[in-house]
Amino acid sequence: MIKKFIRKILGVKDDGRDPSQPVTLGPDEHKIDPRLVSRNAITVTQTLQDAGFKAFVVGGAVRDLLLGVKPKDFDIATDATPEQVKKLFRRAFIIGRRFQIVHVMFGQDLLEVTTFRGNGSDNAPKDEHGRVLRDNNFGPQHEDAARRDFTINAMYYDPATQTVLDYHGGIEDIRAKLLRIIGVPEARYREDPVRMLRVVRFAAKLGFTIEPTTRAPIPVMAPLIDNVPAARVFDEMLKLLLSGHALACLKELRSAGLHHGLLPLLDVVLEQPIGMKFVTLALESTDGRVKAGKGVSPGFLFASLLWHQVLEKWNAYRAAGEAPIPALHLAADDVLDTQTENLALQRRIATDMRDIWAMQPRFERRTGKAPFKLLEHPRFRAGYDFLLLRCESGELPVEVGEWWTAFYAAEGGEREALLAAANQRDRGEAGQKRKRPPRRGPRRGNAGGGGDGAQPRAAGGGEE
C-alpha cells in the first residue's frame, strides 16, 4: 500500500503489471499490416535471429505501425553486442560515444541496431545536473524497455512471429492518445533534458495529450536544456521543425513553458507579432512540403525564422548611416554569430541563409541587366520563394512578387517587355513622388495639409 502511494505521488503509472513480464499481442490484437514493414528491417532481424540472437523492430517504428502509418525509419533492438552485430553484416559501422549503436547499410537505406540497455545508469558518468554523459551498459530486454522514454516507444515487434511485446502499457496509451513517460518524470528529464523537447514534438505530431504528471515538471526543468550540447539541441529542433507539424510544435512548446530562455530563436518567433504572419506562412509552407514528401531546405527554414531579427538590425544600421547592402551584411553577421553559438548552425546552412538574405535587395532592382544576372544565381529559387513570402505577408507590395513570377516564367523578348514596363512604371512613381502641389499662399487650419503624399517604403526594402 505504501509503495503504491509513493509511486502515485511520484507520477509513476501503477496498474499492477510486472514490468519484467510483457503483454504479448498477436496479429488479431495489434492489427499491424506486415506490408508496412521494411524488407531490410526483416532481413536484419532474421539474420540476427538465425545467428541465435533476439531481434525486434522497436521504438517509433512500432508506434507508427500500430497507428497504421508506414514508418520513415526502422530501428532494431537485439541482445547481440555491437561487435557481434558488426560481424554479421557486410556494411555495418559502430558509432557513438554516449550510446554505442551499429549502422547497417543497404544501399542508401540506413538501419540503426542497438543492444538492449541495462539498468546501469545509476553508475554511469553524469554532469553536475544529473545528465548522463556516457552509458553503454547492456542488459535484459525488460530493462531495455524501462530505459526507453515513453510508453508508446517501448514496444517490440517481431516480424517473424508477428507479435508485439508491450512492457509498460504502450498499446493502451496509443489507444487513449496519451503521452506518458516511463518512470519518475523529474529523474528521466534530468538524465536527458532533450526528452522535454521530444515529448512536445510527439504530442504535436501525433495529436496526443501529454499525461499531467509527465507535463508538470517541464516548465520548472526547462533550463536544464541549456546544459545539453548545442549540436544535439539543434538536431532535435530540426526534427521538430521538419516534422510536418512545425506550427503545432511551436504552439505546444509555448503551452509547455519551453520557449522562454530555451532558444532565443523561439522567443523571437513566438513573441514578436510583427513577424508572426511571415513565420506562420513559412512554417505552413514547410509543413505542406513535408506532408507532400518534398524536400525542405534547413537553410531556407532558418532564414525565414530569423528574418525579422535580421530586418530589425538592418533597419538600425541603415538609420545609423550605413549604405543598404553593407548594412544588410552587418545585420546578417550579428544574427548568425548569436544563433551559431546558441544553435550550432552548420556552416553550410548558415551560408544558405546568408545567400537568401543577401538576394532580397536585388529583387527590387528591375533595371538593366540586374534581373538577368539574378536569375543565374545558384540559390535564385530559394531567394525567389523567400521574396514571395515577404509579399504574401504584406512586407512588400504584392506586385513585386507577381512581376518576378512573370519574369521567371517568361522567355526572350517577353522578359525585355516586362523589364521595360517595370522601368516605365517605376519612373512614373518616382515622378509622382517628386511632384509638389503648387503653393497657394500660407496654410490656414487644415487646408492643403497632408504633405507630398509619398508612401513609406515597405519594411525590409532594398536600395534606394
Side-chain angles (χ1 to χ4, degrees), residues 54-71:
K54 294 180 180 179
F56 301 84
V57 176
V58 70
V62 182
R63 177 198 69 226
D64 289 347
L65 289 169
L66 288 167
L67 291 169
V69 177
K70 184 175 179 62

Side-chain angles (χ1 to χ4, degrees), residues 274-316:
I274 189 173
M276 193 58 192
K277 185 175 182 181
F278 179 87
V279 168
T280 298
L281 290 169
L283 293 179
E284 285 177 346
S285 174
T286 298
D287 288 346
R289 291 185 64 84
V290 171
K291 290 172 183 175
K294 298 178 181 178
V296 176
S297 162
F300 184 90
L301 180 58
F302 281 101
S304 302
L305 293 177
L306 291 172
W307 170 241
H308 278 79
Q309 259 193 330
V310 173
L311 186 59
E312 181 181 355
K313 291 181 179 293
W314 186 19
N315 289 335

Side-chain angles (χ1 to χ4, degrees), residues 45 85 164 199 235 307 346 428:
T45 55
V85 173
V164 170
V199 72
D235 287 342
W307 170 241
Q346 299 169 6

Side-chain angles (χ1 to χ4, degrees), residues 174-330:
I174 280 183
R175 289 168 179 164
K177 295 188 174 183
L178 198 65
L179 263 171
R180 186 193 308 273
I181 202 163
I182 297 170
V184 180
E186 290 86 348
R188 301 310 305 278
Y189 293 143
R190 199 172 293 280
E191 286 174 359
D192 185 2
V194 168
R195 286 178 177 137
M196 290 183 277
L197 294 178
R198 285 169 58 81
V199 72
V200 165
R201 173 161 60 89
F202 289 139
K205 178 181 178 180
L206 302 173
F208 281 24
T209 300
I210 301 174
E211 187 267 333
T213 55
T214 298
R215 174 187 283 272
I218 292 177
V220 177
M221 303 187 76
L224 291 178
I225 295 177
D226 293 337
N227 305 317
V228 178
R232 189 153 176 258
V233 174
F234 175 77
D235 287 342
E236 192 59 37
M237 276 297 301
L238 206 53
K239 290 178 184 177
L240 183 151
L241 293 169
L242 299 179
S243 66
H245 303 270
L247 268 176
C249 284
L250 291 183
K251 290 177 182 176
E252 188 64 47
L253 280 169
R254 177 166 234 172
S255 174
L258 278 171
H259 65 297
H260 277 300
L262 169 61
L263 295 171
L265 166 63
L266 294 181
D267 288 337
V268 169
V269 170
L270 295 172
E271 296 181 0
Q272 289 193 8
I274 189 173
M276 193 58 192
K277 185 175 182 181
F278 179 87
V279 168
T280 298
L281 290 169
L283 293 179
E284 285 177 346
S285 174
T286 298
D287 288 346
R289 291 185 64 84
V290 171
K291 290 172 183 175
K294 298 178 181 178
V296 176
S297 162
F300 184 90
L301 180 58
F302 281 101
S304 302
L305 293 177
L306 291 172
W307 170 241
H308 278 79
Q309 259 193 330
V310 173
L311 186 59
E312 181 181 355
K313 291 181 179 293
W314 186 19
N315 289 335
Y317 276 119
R318 292 168 69 183
E322 286 285 351
I325 299 301
L328 178 56
H329 288 301
L330 288 170

Side-chain angles (χ1 to χ4, degrees), residues 330-361:
L330 288 170
D333 288 343
D334 288 351
V335 171
L336 285 174
D337 287 347
T338 300
Q339 294 299 337
T340 299
E341 181 179 345
N342 287 300
L343 272 181
L345 285 170
Q346 299 169 6
R347 181 174 298 178
R348 173 181 56 82
I349 293 176
T351 299
D352 289 347
M353 294 165 65
R354 193 185 296 277
D355 286 347
I356 290 168
W357 293 335
M359 273 189 277
Q360 297 312 301

